[in-house]
Amino acid sequence: MWVWLFSVGEGKGAIAHLPSIAASLRGMKLKPSESLKIDTFSMRIGDIEGVELDRLHALSLAVGWPHRAEDWQFLRESGHGFVALDEIGRVLGSAMWFAHGADFATVGMVITSPRLQTLGAGQWLMKRVFDKVGGRDLRLNATRAARRLYLSLDFLPEKTVYQCQGIAHAQTMGGSTETRGDIRALDTRDVPSVIALDAMGFGVRRAALIEKLFAHSAGYGLFKGDTLNAFALCRPFGRGHVVGPVVAESDTEAVAVVRPHVTDHSGSFLRIDTHMDNGEFAAFLSHAGMPVFDTVLTMSMGKRLSDFAVGRATGPMTYALASQTLG
Ligand SMILES: CC(C)(COP(=O)(O)OP(=O)(O)OC[C@H]1O[C@@H](n2cnc3c(N)ncnc32)[C@H](O)[C@@H]1OP(=O)(O)O)[C@@H](O)C(=O)NCCC(=O)NCCS
């Protein structure tokens, strides 16, 4: 279905008089204009599944995002989405959602091409997403550019996310090395415990996503006896690797499970997205070469984070998101 979304400019005359302009130019009587007004154009909605990966990649590059084609592929396999296409199939916008059960979904990869921004395409895509998520509670992480869009759609601000990144430094990371329990690399036998612990931190069970992340990640866990008390996954993403999700009961435990990833990637680019703005964990990230680079804002529609017991004072907490898109 084609949707005439908006029109830009009013310069029909420039097109209508092209032949005479060309004739004049040939005779060197007229200088070519320095500007051209584009008339109207339309977009149609498409399923993200049907689009070539490099077109999606070009869209995220256009807004300065670090995603690789592989990162788009991972997201496509993990969720659903729409694209906005122009008459010749170029991708000018995207929006995705990731459902976990019948009641909850996260929303992400909401992008409109820079030349279309502030003209209503973001709202148009989001309304298509609302049609599909069917009354689920929603959570997303809003960039500064997107806050107004989501506020206008009745999302409520929750917590700041600190995007911490840089070249990892194992030598300077510091932090207590004394943790009760044993740290070891995770293997596939640990997946059910990782899913259960993630659900306690995130507030919603997301078994399929965690299994998929696990398959793409290296993981370390803190065990007390046979019980998994904390874990951190780390996978290739964007400019290097991203650590997340991380679930632990305390800063000390979170540091203990992230520390081996810093060692593994010392000297290369590492990123972590966290709600923690102070304390031992936040200080550790900075000493490990990952200072705060940017912030986004977790927003929700329907149930609030507190309704999911996210961020409560005791019990397992999410110390790092899987990613800004996935939550
Ligand atoms: C965020 C983004 C998707 C918004 O898309 P868009 O096509 O510009 O959105 P819309 O035109 O539908 O705008 C929706 C509302 O936000 C406002 N808005 C959008 N961009 C704005 C800007 N840069 N400054 C101020 N207001 C802005 C619009 O005026 C509109 O407000 P209104 O409903 O009160 O009129 C787009 O700017 C973008 O792709 N940015 C880069 C990627 C990004 O940050 N994505 C968000 C991920 S969470």
Side-chain angles (χ1 to χ4, degrees), residues 7 74 85-86 110 133 136 141 151-152 161 168 202 209 228 293 299 325:
S7 67
F74 181 92
L85 300 163
D86 72 2
V110 180
V133 293
R136 287 177 168 87
N141 293 298
L151 285 172
S152 77
V161 176
F202 188 73
L209 176 65
L228 181 70
F293 169 77
M299 300 180 84
T325 295

Side-chain angles (χ1 to χ4, degrees), residues 63 65 109-113 116-124 140-143 145-146 148-150 152:
V63 294
W65 284 9
M109 303 311 283
V110 180
I111 302 174
T112 58
S113 178
L116 298 190
Q117 288 172 7
T118 75
L119 295 171
Q123 289 223 5
W124 180 59
L140 55 77
N141 293 298
T143 59
R148 189 159 148 190
L149 167 63
Y150 297 131
S152 77

Side-chain angles (χ1 to χ4, degrees), residues 22-185:
S24 303
L25 279 174
R26 275 199 303 275
M28 299 297 283
K29 286 180 190 148
L30 199 66
K31 281 184 78 177
S33 168
E34 295 293 322
S35 64
L36 171 69
K37 282 191 174 164
I38 303 298
D39 203 359
T40 59
F41 62 97
S42 63
M43 295 198 295
R44 69 189 158 91
I45 204 89
D47 192 316
I48 205 163
E49 279 302 317
V51 176
E52 286 163 28
L53 268 184
D54 56 356
R55 295 190 174 218
L56 296 172
H57 190 205
L59 178 69
S60 54
L61 282 176
V63 294
W65 284 9
H67 298 67
R68 306 162 304 155
E70 295 93 319
D71 299 325
W72 271 105
Q73 182 56 23
F74 181 92
L75 292 169
R76 270 211 307 205
E77 290 169 7
S78 309
H80 304 277
F82 287 123
V83 283
L85 300 163
D86 72 2
E87 292 96 331
I88 57 167
R90 283 179 301 198
V91 178
L92 300 182
S94 65
M96 296 193 73
W97 71 96
F98 306 86
H100 304 294
D103 300 324
F104 179 82
T106 59
V107 173
M109 303 311 283
V110 180
I111 302 174
T112 58
S113 178
R115 71 193 173 97
L116 298 190
Q117 288 172 7
T118 75
L119 295 171
Q123 289 223 5
W124 180 59
L125 283 160
M126 282 300 294
K127 284 178 180 163
R128 302 300 302 239
V129 170
F130 288 156
D131 265 1
K132 291 285 179 187
V133 293
R136 287 177 168 87
D137 296 311
L138 300 179
R139 200 184 297 173
L140 55 77
N141 293 298
T143 59
R144 224 160 280 122
R147 275 176 207 174
R148 189 159 148 190
L149 167 63
Y150 297 131
L151 285 172
S152 77
L153 295 168
D154 294 333
F155 280 86
L156 294 173
E158 296 265 16
K159 281 180 159 190
T160 301
V161 176
Y162 299 88
Q163 178 180 335
C164 303
Q165 64 184 49
I167 303 301
H169 286 302
Q171 300 83 348
T172 56
M173 65 184 158
S176 163
T177 49
E178 303 223 343
T179 318
R180 284 180 45 218
D182 300 316
I183 302 282
R184 69 163 168 80

Side-chain angles (χ1 to χ4, degrees), residues 84-308:
L85 300 163
D86 72 2
E87 292 96 331
I88 57 167
R90 283 179 301 198
V91 178
L92 300 182
S94 65
M96 296 193 73
W97 71 96
F98 306 86
H100 304 294
D103 300 324
F104 179 82
T106 59
V107 173
M109 303 311 283
V110 180
I111 302 174
T112 58
S113 178
R115 71 193 173 97
L116 298 190
Q117 288 172 7
T118 75
L119 295 171
Q123 289 223 5
W124 180 59
L125 283 160
M126 282 300 294
K127 284 178 180 163
R128 302 300 302 239
V129 170
F130 288 156
D131 265 1
K132 291 285 179 187
V133 293
R136 287 177 168 87
D137 296 311
L138 300 179
R139 200 184 297 173
L140 55 77
N141 293 298
T143 59
R144 224 160 280 122
R147 275 176 207 174
R148 189 159 148 190
L149 167 63
Y150 297 131
L151 285 172
S152 77
L153 295 168
D154 294 333
F155 280 86
L156 294 173
E158 296 265 16
K159 281 180 159 190
T160 301
V161 176
Y162 299 88
Q163 178 180 335
C164 303
Q165 64 184 49
I167 303 301
H169 286 302
Q171 300 83 348
T172 56
M173 65 184 158
S176 163
T177 49
E178 303 223 343
T179 318
R180 284 180 45 218
D182 300 316
I183 302 282
R184 69 163 168 80
L186 298 172
D187 63 43
T188 49
R189 284 168 302 171
D190 301 311
V191 171
S193 311
V194 169
I195 290 171
L197 205 52
D198 176 75
M200 287 190 245
F202 188 73
V204 175
R205 193 177 154 84
R206 42 181 188 169
L209 176 65
I210 295 297
E211 270 178 38
K212 198 163 169 47
L213 286 167
F214 200 92
H216 283 73
S217 302
Y220 290 100
L222 171 68
F223 290 83
K224 294 184 182 164
D226 287 337
T227 307
L228 181 70
N229 269 59
F231 74 86
L233 302 186
C234 176
R235 65 185 190 284
F237 174 82
R239 295 172 57 191
H241 282 73
V242 64
V243 180
V246 177
V247 180
E249 283 194 27
S250 67
D251 281 25
T252 306
E253 290 188 357
V255 169
V257 288
V258 172
R259 172 193 293 279
H261 291 300
V262 175
T263 303
D264 291 348
H265 296 287
S266 193
S268 55
F269 184 86
L270 202 56
R271 166 174 170 172
I272 192 161
D273 293 278
T274 180
H275 283 127
M276 307 297 166
D277 60 347
N278 59 38
E280 187 186 341
F281 185 71
F284 166 81
L285 295 181
S286 173
H287 289 135
M290 292 178 278
V292 175
F293 169 77
D294 201 358
T295 59
V296 294
L297 180 66
T298 302
M299 300 180 84
S300 61
M301 180 185 286
K303 280 193 189 171
R304 312 279 325 243
L305 288 185
S306 52
D307 299 322
F308 292 103

